[in-house]
């Protein structure tokens, strides 16, 4: 018996805005009991700037979660406390490896309720951290969005989060659309599947245009040196000052070190949904494709083969992760298209168009990674060579960690080399193409991508480095030999 097609409301997913909450995130917790949390949130940037946040949190009483009732309240509490925790860890000259009970005790309780780790995630910084400027306008309009909380108080940081919010909102209708396609495929309704795939491809193109807007209001240098420091997790952060990870002190005296990744686009349930519904398979970085066996072909989407992608589901809200697992059990679009490739050309073209648009979206992402991480990291490395060691010796965090060149070969989050991972994920997207000409077209090698200063770029030149550049991602470290680096791992 075939599994039933998931019902979105069972997973807290909106048919209009996807994984964004159906009810807008709260701008304040309604119970006055939590006014102390809200007061810190109101002054968070100033407390970080004055380096007084740690003192305030150390004096903060341990508040109970008993006053949290509706899901929106739990989500806001989680967002607040993870921002506080990251500000506490990274908001000084050197990082702190112990989060005090005033934050840890309620945060651990909240995380059990939401089924999510006690660390800042994509959900905290994006999904539950926005508000519309005008309530009568849609939230898929990037110019109608504002953040609820940031570490720096800058437009750059807000824009960095809000681009993803707009993408989530604009991409939300794709979810019910493609579940309709799955149902149609079960009935052999090729016309409906084709129509859904065409609409999917058009919407993917819209998402790419939104992603291109990242450079409008987010300065790469400011992002690299100021914003990403606070987004760091506690995993693979030896050089940044957290050799063992972080202790979430629950007051029992038995708390142990834990290590978590920081927020990453790999934690976007929407992007993972695209791959699952289209039957795109991802392999460990560097692994070549092998012809699938019949048994593998039948269950290709149920469990991601790539350990990092599977691990990132741990950082999604529990219901969202379960939804992806359940969609993997019913995804049938690729098999349906392959079975009719010889007889239904419009269907094949529509499917390949979706893959082409998804690949183009990943191309844009790679270009952003290059501008916001790879190039600034090279500038940072060159600048560090000309500085006196005394200039930065008293500071230790993600921004200064790359100056330590003792370790020559350091991998990224989960052992993944970031840029090769992104490029392989892009190339794997086109491997699923049905038509031979489409596969060749998407696999062509080009020297430039996009247009203008950001995307067209200049003619590639060899940039010889006499040694690897050590760089640190949001949740770990990696070695940059020309192609290594990234804002996130997806």
């Amino acid at each position: 018996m075939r599994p039933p097609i998931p019902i979105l409301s069972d997973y807290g997913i909106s048919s209009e805005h996807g994984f964004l909450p159906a009810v807008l995130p709260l701008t304040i917790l309604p119970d006055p009991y939590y006014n102390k949390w809200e007061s810190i949130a109101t002054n968070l940037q100033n407390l970080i700037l004055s380096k007084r946040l740690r003192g305030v949190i150390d004096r903060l009483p341990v508040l109970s979660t008993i006053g949290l009732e509706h899901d929106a309240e739990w989500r806001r509490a989680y967002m607040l406390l993870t921002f506080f925790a990251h500000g506490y860890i990274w908001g000084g000259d050197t990082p702190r490896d112990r989060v005090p009970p005033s934050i840890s005790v309620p945060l651990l309780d909240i995380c059990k309720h939401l089924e999510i780790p006690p660390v800042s995630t994509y959900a905290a910084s994006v999904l539950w951290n926005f508000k519309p400027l005008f309530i009568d306008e849609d939230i898929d309009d990037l110019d109608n969005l504002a953040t609820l909380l940031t570490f720096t108080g800058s437009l750059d940081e807000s824009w960095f989060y809000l681009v993803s919010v707009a993408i989530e909102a604009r991409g939300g209708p794709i979810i019910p659309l493609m579940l309709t396609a799955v149902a149609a495929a079960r009935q052999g309704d090729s016309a409906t599947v084709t129509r859904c795939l065409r609409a999917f491809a058009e919407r993917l193109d819209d998402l790419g245009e939104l992603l291109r807007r990242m450079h409008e209001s987010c300065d790469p240098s400011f992002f690299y040196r100021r914003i990403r420091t606070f987004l760091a997790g506690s995993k693979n952060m030896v050089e940044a000052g957290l050799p063992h990870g972080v202790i979430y002190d629950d007051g029992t005296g038995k708390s142990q070190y834990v290590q978590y990744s920081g927020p990453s686009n790999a934690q976007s349930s929407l992007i993972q949904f695209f791959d699952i519904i289209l039957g795109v398979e991802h392999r460990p970085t560097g692994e070549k494709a092998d012809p699938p066996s019949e048994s593998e072909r039948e269950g290709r989407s149920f469990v991601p083969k790539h350990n990092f992608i599977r691990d990132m589901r741990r950082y999604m809200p529990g219901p969202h992760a379960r939804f992806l697992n359940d969609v993997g059990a019913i995804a049938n679009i690729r098999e349906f298209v392959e079975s009719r490739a010889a007889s239904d050309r419009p269907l094949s073209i529509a499917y390949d168009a979706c893959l082409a648009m998804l690949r183009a979206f990943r191309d844009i992402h790679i270009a952003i990674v290059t501008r916001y991480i790879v190039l600034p990291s090279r500038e940072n490395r060159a600048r560090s060579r000309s500085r006196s060691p005394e200039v930065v010796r008293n500071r230790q965090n993600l921004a200064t960690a790359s100056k330590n060149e003792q370790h020559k070969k350091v991998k990224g989050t989960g052992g993944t080399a970031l840029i090769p991972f992104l490029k392989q994920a892009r190339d794997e997207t086109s491997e699923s193409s049905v038509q031979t000409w489409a596969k060749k077209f998407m696999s062509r090698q080009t020297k430039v991508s996009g247009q203008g200063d950001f995307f067209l770029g200049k003619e590639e030149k060899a940039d010889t480095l006499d040694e690897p550049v050590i760089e640190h991602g949001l949740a770990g470290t990696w070695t940059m030999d020309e192609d290594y680096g990234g804002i996130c791992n997806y």
Side-chain angles (χ1 to χ4, degrees):
M1 181 177 180
R2 293 182 297 189
I5 295 176
I7 299 174
L8 297 183
S9 59
D10 293 345
Y11 305 87
I13 299 172
S14 165
S15 60
E16 184 177 2
H17 296 133
F19 297 99
L20 296 175
V23 177
L24 288 173
L26 296 177
T27 57
I28 190 172
L29 290 172
D31 193 332
Y33 176 70
Y34 298 109
N35 282 352
K36 288 184 172 64
W37 289 357
E38 293 293 350
S39 178
I40 293 176
T42 301
N43 297 282
L44 182 63
Q45 298 87 19
N46 292 326
L47 290 172
I48 290 175
L49 184 63
S50 63
K51 298 182 181 179
R52 300 184 67 177
L53 176 64
R54 288 172 176 171
V56 170
I57 289 179
D58 286 336
R59 295 189 298 272
L60 187 69
V62 176
L63 301 183
S64 170
T65 59
I66 194 171
L68 303 175
E69 298 181 2
H70 304 292
D71 287 342
E73 295 175 25
W74 287 92
R75 290 192 289 262
R76 176 162 179 83
Y78 169 75
M79 188 265 288
L80 292 179
L81 293 182
T82 53
F83 267 78
F84 298 168
H86 279 241
Y88 187 92
I89 293 169
W90 298 109
D93 289 338
T94 57
R96 291 282 181 88
D97 64 357
R98 172 188 166 276
V99 179
S102 57
I103 299 298
S104 297
V105 172
L107 178 58
L108 292 172
D109 193 21
I110 291 167
C111 289
K112 288 180 182 178
H113 179 85
L114 296 174
E115 303 175 73
I116 200 166
V119 65
S120 184
T121 59
Y122 184 85
S125 57
V126 174
L127 299 181
W128 304 337
N129 186 28
F130 73 93
K131 65 179 179 180
L133 295 175
F134 300 96
I135 198 68
D136 58 338
E137 297 181 15
D138 207 327
I139 60 174
D140 69 351
D141 181 359
L142 182 53
D143 298 315
N144 187 43
L145 293 172
T147 50
L148 299 177
L149 191 60
T150 64
F151 295 104
T152 63
S154 64
L155 174 61
D156 304 74
E157 185 180 355
S158 290
W159 193 258
F160 180 69
Y161 302 146
L162 294 176
V163 168
S164 292
V165 174
I167 288 173
E168 292 284 339
R170 190 77 58 87
I174 293 175
I175 302 172
L177 176 75
M178 292 311 296
L179 293 182
T180 298
V182 169
R186 287 184 171 185
Q187 301 299 320
D189 186 352
S190 179
T192 297
V193 175
T194 301
R195 175 179 56 80
C196 291
L197 287 171
R198 287 172 177 169
F200 185 8
E202 292 175 2
R203 188 59 65 112
L204 278 172
D205 189 39
D206 289 343
L207 302 189
E209 290 304 311
L210 283 172
L211 187 57
R212 287 182 189 273
R213 295 187 62 187
M214 179 65 74
H215 71 286
E216 288 184 14
S217 297
C218 184
D219 178 71
S221 179
F222 187 84
F223 171 83
Y224 181 83
R225 293 176 176 82
R226 295 291 305 278
I227 298 171
R228 74 188 193 109
T229 295
F230 294 103
L231 298 178
S234 54
K235 188 175 182 179
N236 299 331
M237 284 291 161
V238 176
E239 293 302 312
L242 296 178
H244 307 293
V246 169
I247 293 176
Y248 289 90
D249 187 354
D250 61 5
T252 64
K254 300 179 181 179
S255 304
Q256 297 181 345
Y257 281 103
V258 293
Q259 296 185 3
Y260 294 112
S261 296
S264 163
N265 279 0
Q267 297 164 11
S268 168
S269 302
L270 182 68
I271 303 301
Q272 288 209 25
F273 174 80
F274 294 163
D275 282 332
I276 293 170
I277 206 68
L278 292 175
V280 175
E281 299 176 352
H282 294 293
R283 303 178 298 276
T285 304
E287 183 177 302
K288 303 298 182 182
D290 294 322
S293 64
E294 189 64 30
S295 60
E296 289 175 332
R297 190 177 296 112
E298 291 174 357
R300 56 166 53 115
S301 298
F302 186 66
V303 179
K305 291 183 178 180
H306 200 289
N307 291 335
F308 176 73
I309 292 177
R310 182 164 63 248
D311 183 61
M312 285 298 99
R313 293 191 188 179
R314 296 175 47 232
Y315 296 86
M316 298 175 184
H320 294 180
R322 285 193 293 275
F323 173 74
L324 295 181
N325 291 335
D326 292 345
V327 169
I330 57 97
N332 60 0
I333 301 300
R334 179 174 174 181
E335 290 79 5
F336 181 76
V337 174
E338 289 176 341
S339 68
R340 296 172 179 244
S343 59
D344 196 335
R345 185 172 176 80
L347 175 65
S348 298
I349 292 175
Y351 176 78
D352 286 343
C354 290
L355 296 178
M357 290 299 99
L358 185 56
R359 179 188 169 95
F361 183 86
R362 287 186 160 126
D363 271 330
I364 298 169
H365 185 212
I366 291 172
I368 290 176
V369 166
T370 300
R371 188 180 189 192
Y372 282 77
I373 295 292
V374 176
L375 298 181
S377 68
R378 291 175 179 173
E379 295 171 2
N380 188 57
R381 180 170 179 263
R383 186 181 298 107
S384 67
R385 286 175 168 175
S386 63
R387 286 181 176 178
S388 170
E390 285 76 10
V391 175
V392 293
R393 68 180 181 180
N394 293 325
R395 291 188 63 84
Q396 187 178 26
N397 56 32
L398 193 62
T400 64
S402 62
K403 295 177 177 61
N404 188 326
E405 299 184 1
Q406 294 178 1
H407 300 282
K408 296 299 183 182
K409 293 292 182 182
V410 188
K411 294 293 184 179
T413 302
T416 302
L418 305 184
I419 287 291
F421 177 82
L422 291 172
K423 289 183 176 179
Q424 181 171 316
R426 174 201 62 192
D427 296 339
E428 287 164 347
T429 303
S430 59
E431 289 174 5
S432 303
S433 301
V434 174
Q435 297 289 330
T436 303
W437 67 268
K439 186 174 297 186
K440 290 181 178 179
F441 178 78
M442 283 188 277
S443 299
R444 73 196 189 285
Q445 298 296 320
T446 58
K447 289 290 185 181
V448 294
S449 59
Q451 54 185 305
D453 176 60
F454 187 7
F455 293 106
L456 180 58
K458 301 180 177 66
E459 183 179 353
E460 294 185 357
K461 297 180 179 178
D463 188 3
T464 303
L465 297 178
D466 53 0
E467 64 217 33
V469 177
I470 306 301
E471 196 45 69
H472 299 252
L474 298 185
T477 55
W478 37 272
T479 298
M480 186 183 72
D481 290 321
E482 295 292 319
D483 288 334
Y484 286 62
I487 291 177
C488 58
N489 287 274
Y490 201 65

